[in-house]
Amino acid sequence: MIKLSLFVLLAASCTAVPLLSEVEPFITNGELAEAGQFPYQAGLNVSFGNWSTWCGGTLISHYWIITAAHCMDGAESVTVYLGAINIHDETEVGQKRILVQKSGIIVHSNYTASTVVNDISLIRLPTFVTFTDRIRGANLPRRINGNYPTYESVRAFASGWGRDSDASETVSPVLRYVEMPVMPQALCRMYWSGAVTEKMICMSTTSGKSTCHGDSGGPLIYKQGNSSYLIGSTSFGTSMGCQVGFPAVFTRISSYLEWILNHLISHV
Ligand SMILES: *[C@@H]1O[C@H](CO)[C@@H](O)[C@H](O)[C@H]1NC(C)=O
Ligand SMILES: *[C@@H]1O[C@H](CO)[C@@H](O)[C@H](O)[C@H]1NC(C)=O
Ligand SMILES: *[C@@H]1O[C@H](CO)[C@@H](O)[C@H](O)[C@H]1NC(C)=O
């Protein structure tokens, strides 16, 4: 079986961390994002006490962010970056950083690290975040003729601060993105055999364009007119590298709408 590689990026200062040490995702061969181009993109500096990891996430309302379970499982707190392009520039116009304690983190109760199933979690911001030209929520998927689309073969955007090449060892300071087609599920399953379920959605990664370490939890977005629909959340790729052309795998958001909405409603 193909060896999975999660797309989180360990902080350079980390030493032995059993579960995440083999993990890997970022945007490789991507374009630089412009201010306001991906206003739903969140950056997450996840703290586990004496070490931290970097992940992405997606703002879906004034209070909530969707990210990966493998980013947040066991976290003590997380610093959420909103409206950011350059995460090293604290004075960047429009950038906000918000500290969220463990009580604001909800990991899917059936997340299974060994198979990376149900790789989804929610973060509730402690205060209402005002939308601006650089901070805005993405839409959840909508039914068309009664069913959620599979999005097969549509072009979609993946973005993040993940490693920008297989040779790189740190996250990118600036936000990057790729625009690639959603791979038909049957084809993706041929690559990944049993590892890919119907609750996952895959992106083609030809020309070395891919998500990579540090992009975990970040958005896969289908744009229609002026609307941005969150169709996936970055989950894993192959440990052979982000640029080898193997499909990148995301959690399929339409499979978790009930779970998401139940948590949102219970906090109103
Ligand atoms: C973190 O701290 C704990 C307890 O102090 C220690 O056992 C562990 O080795 C430390 N981990 C790292 C990665 O430094
Ligand atoms: C995340 O926070 C830790 C602790 O404050 C810091 O050392 C690290 O540089 C931060 N990571 C990034 C990518 O900013
Ligand atoms: C987790 O799995 C159990 C057993 O299959 C199921 O009953 C439960 O509803 C699942 N929980 C969620 C949040 O999906």
Side-chain angles (χ1 to χ4, degrees):
M1 189 153 134
I2 308 295
K3 203 165 158 215
L4 303 190
S5 178
L6 296 176
F7 275 174
V8 304
L9 186 60
L10 296 177
S13 57
C14 298
T15 48
V17 180
L19 180 64
L20 295 176
S21 57
E22 292 181 5
V23 156
E24 309 190 3
F26 331 116
I27 301 290
T28 55
N29 272 19
E31 311 283 333
L32 293 180
E34 288 170 23
Q37 191 178 2
F38 302 101
Y40 45 76
Q41 174 82 49
L44 307 177
N45 189 341
V46 191
S47 173
F48 293 85
N50 48 3
W51 57 284
S52 62
T53 63
W54 182 267
C55 279
T58 308
L59 189 68
I60 54 158
S61 78
H62 295 281
Y63 279 107
W64 292 94
I65 286 162
I66 291 181
T67 182
H70 78 257
C71 290
M72 306 310 299
D73 195 22
E76 288 190 357
S77 65
V78 55
T79 301
V80 176
Y81 291 53
L82 295 173
I85 296 290
N86 186 340
I87 54 172
H88 291 171
D89 181 3
E90 223 172 324
T91 64
E92 187 175 54
V93 174
Q95 185 185 122
K96 271 201 168 73
R97 297 184 184 184
I98 304 168
L99 179 66
V100 181
Q101 299 297 342
K102 196 181 181 76
S103 58
I105 298 169
I106 301 166
V107 176
H108 195 288
S109 50
N110 288 345
Y111 164 61
T112 308
S114 55
T115 52
V116 206
V117 297
N118 302 312
D119 188 13
I120 188 166
S121 60
L122 286 163
I123 297 171
R124 188 179 194 272
L125 300 173
T127 51
F128 181 100
V129 65
T130 304
F131 289 169
T132 66
D133 57 347
R134 295 179 188 215
I135 301 177
R136 188 161 298 275
N139 299 301
L140 293 172
R142 302 239 161 105
R143 284 194 184 91
I144 296 178
N145 300 328
N147 295 309
Y148 291 101
T150 62
Y151 300 105
E152 284 188 7
S153 303
V154 304
R155 296 189 72 81
F157 291 87
S159 47
W161 288 272
R163 283 201 294 209
D164 53 14
S165 78
D166 280 331
S168 169
E169 292 192 348
T170 57
V171 286
S172 164
V174 289
L175 183 61
R176 290 170 190 275
Y177 71 96
V178 290
E179 183 186 1
M180 293 298 286
V182 173
M183 183 179 275
Q185 198 74 354
L187 182 55
C188 187
R189 285 186 184 214
M190 284 171 67
Y191 277 96
W192 281 104
S193 55
V196 164
T197 73
E198 75 284 358
K199 293 181 174 180
M200 299 173 185
I201 182 168
C202 307
M203 185 183 79
S204 296
T205 65
T206 47
S207 344
K209 292 180 191 244
S210 181
T211 40
C212 199
H213 303 271
D215 290 324
S216 276
L220 181 68
I221 291 278
Y222 171 56
K223 288 191 191 255
Q224 197 177 32
N226 288 330
S227 301
S228 297
Y229 294 96
L230 179 66
I231 63 175
S233 168
T234 298
S235 186
F236 62 87
T238 162
S239 60
M240 294 181 286
C242 306
Q243 296 180 279
V244 298
F246 223 77
V249 184
F250 299 72
T251 300
R252 184 181 288 274
I253 300 301
S254 59
S255 303
Y256 292 93
L257 289 175
E258 202 182 319
W259 180 81
I260 294 165
L261 295 173
N262 280 342
H263 282 289
L264 267 60
I265 291 164
S266 68
H267 277 79
V268 168

